[in-house]
Amino acid sequence: MQEKILLEDIIQRFGKKEALKGITLHVKSGEIFGLLGPSGAGKTTIIKIMTGQLRPDQGSALIDGMAADRMTGTVYRRIGMMMDTPGLYARLSCYDNLKLFARLYEIPESRIREVLQKVGLTEAAGRPVDKLSKGMKGRLALARAVMNEPDILFLDEPTSGLDPATTGQIHELILEEQAKGTTVFLTTHNMAEAEKLCGHIALLCEGSIVEEGGPQEICRRYNHRKRIRIRLYDGRNLEIGCGKETECDEKTAEVIKEYLKQGMVETIHSTEPNLETVFLELTGRKLD
């Protein structure tokens, strides 16, 4: 599969601080790639480099084969961006914010009503941005990002601080964009968001990639306990070993089989860690 985004050995300094320490990332066409890390890890800096807003001190950033800091207007027209600060005009209405963007990008004005409906802001079309809730501003920023039907969509913490209902709506829109073939680069510190949306993720801490792969693949990689947790209908919670203390064998399988055969099992789960636990193990820090 073709690589849409390619970062090689990116180093970025701000004064004496090295914010990015040799970042290498490959993002394939049509995938949702998640960059997962706490605030201050360097996620926004990476997006600014990929969108040509920053020139790295060292390394290369290619977007569709073109150097990110030399992208032409033609390439920018195929890119959508939703940054951590939405950059909306507070006194203009939702409609007029998008109308200004449409004129800059030579997008038909008919597209404005279409994207407002898509993000559920049709009734708020004439409302000034400074009268919108935070969730509505987030949806408007996403509407602007997808208005030009981009090939590549950069989303920097798109659901940060939003309520669950708005977050769910934004997730649906992101998945709709991917279904159309859009490559999505998403930064987040939300573990559940990364697991739900992303086919591939990288864990970022203090400017370095500490792990990379599919969300479930990473969790399985750090499954040191290898145990099965069973809750029985009589209220008992059991853990049956497959770890170093108790190797999985035929006896273990027979125990599980017997509980299932007798209809005693209410729930059964493996005990692999989640992304939060893996990140904590690797860095000693939480994602939030």
Side-chain angles (χ1 to χ4, degrees):
M1 192 180 291
Q2 180 186 358
E3 288 176 344
K4 276 282 187 181
I5 301 169
L6 178 60
L7 302 186
E8 291 285 355
D9 298 320
I10 295 290
I11 292 176
Q12 182 69 53
R13 301 181 186 89
F14 297 108
K16 294 183 179 180
K17 181 183 178 182
E18 194 170 65
L20 300 178
K21 306 169 184 177
I23 299 294
T24 295
L25 293 173
H26 297 193
V27 180
K28 295 178 180 178
S29 178
E31 76 173 333
I32 300 179
F33 186 101
L35 187 60
L36 194 62
S39 298
K43 303 189 299 296
T44 299
T45 301
I46 288 174
I47 279 198
K48 286 183 175 180
I49 288 171
M50 291 189 296
T51 54
Q53 299 174 67
L54 271 178
R55 178 175 292 179
D57 293 302
Q58 186 176 312
S60 64
L62 300 178
I63 306 299
D64 240 354
M66 180 174 289
D69 59 350
R70 297 178 185 174
M71 287 191 291
T72 63
T74 303
V75 176
Y76 272 118
R77 288 174 189 275
R78 304 203 320 268
I79 290 175
M81 284 182 260
M82 181 181 175
M83 302 301 291
D84 56 343
T85 52
L88 300 168
Y89 292 95
R91 287 193 244 177
L92 292 182
S93 68
C94 296
Y95 189 94
D96 285 342
N97 264 274
L98 297 184
K99 184 177 180 180
L100 177 60
F101 186 79
R103 287 183 176 179
L104 287 171
Y105 276 70
E106 299 178 340
I107 298 167
E109 198 169 327
S110 59
R111 175 76 173 146
I112 298 174
R113 294 288 180 189
E114 184 182 333
V115 294
L116 284 173
Q117 182 178 11
K118 186 184 286 274
V119 299
L121 290 177
T122 300
E123 294 183 2
R127 194 183 305 177
V129 166
D130 59 5
K131 301 297 183 183
L132 301 178
S133 67
K134 184 174 182 179
M136 294 170 81
K137 289 177 183 176
R139 282 184 279 152
L140 181 60
L142 183 57
R144 187 184 60 188
V146 302
M147 195 171 166
N148 58 325
E149 300 183 278
D151 292 333
I152 305 174
L153 184 58
F154 293 100
L155 302 174
D156 191 11
E157 301 276 6
T159 61
S160 180
L162 300 183
D163 63 89
T166 303
T167 295
Q169 290 174 330
I170 288 177
H171 286 174
E172 287 179 15
L173 288 167
I174 293 170
L175 291 170
E176 283 177 17
E177 287 301 309
Q178 185 202 21
K180 294 191 298 186
T182 305
T183 303
V184 182
F185 189 97
L186 168 77
T187 74
T188 182
H189 62 261
N190 186 320
M191 170 193 67
E193 182 166 79
E195 290 181 334
K196 177 181 179 180
L197 298 177
C198 303
H200 198 95
I201 65 168
L203 303 181
L204 181 71
C205 184
E206 297 180 352
S208 297
I209 302 295
V210 295
E211 189 56 276
E212 190 174 351
Q216 297 305 318
E217 172 196 346
I218 290 175
C219 291
R220 289 193 298 269
R221 199 178 297 161
Y222 289 86
N223 184 16
H224 307 306
R225 298 184 67 208
K226 293 186 174 65
R227 299 177 74 79
I228 295 173
R229 185 180 292 122
I230 298 175
R231 177 175 175 81
L232 304 181
Y233 281 111
D234 62 14
R236 282 183 291 164
N237 293 296
L238 309 175
E239 277 198 6
I240 299 177
C242 294
K244 294 180 180 178
E245 296 179 4
T246 311
E247 295 295 332
C248 279
D249 54 21
E250 289 184 12
K251 184 177 179 181
T252 303
E254 285 298 324
V255 170
I256 297 171
K257 177 183 175 182
E258 192 60 30
Y259 282 126
L260 291 169
K261 187 177 179 181
Q262 295 180 28
M264 299 173 67
V265 177
E266 184 176 4
T267 63
I268 182 167
H269 301 282
S270 56
T271 57
E272 68 268 15
N274 58 30
L275 290 174
E276 179 81 44
T277 306
V278 171
F279 194 85
L280 185 62
E281 177 181 336
L282 290 170
T283 67
R285 296 184 57 182
K286 292 187 176 181
L287 284 167
D288 292 330

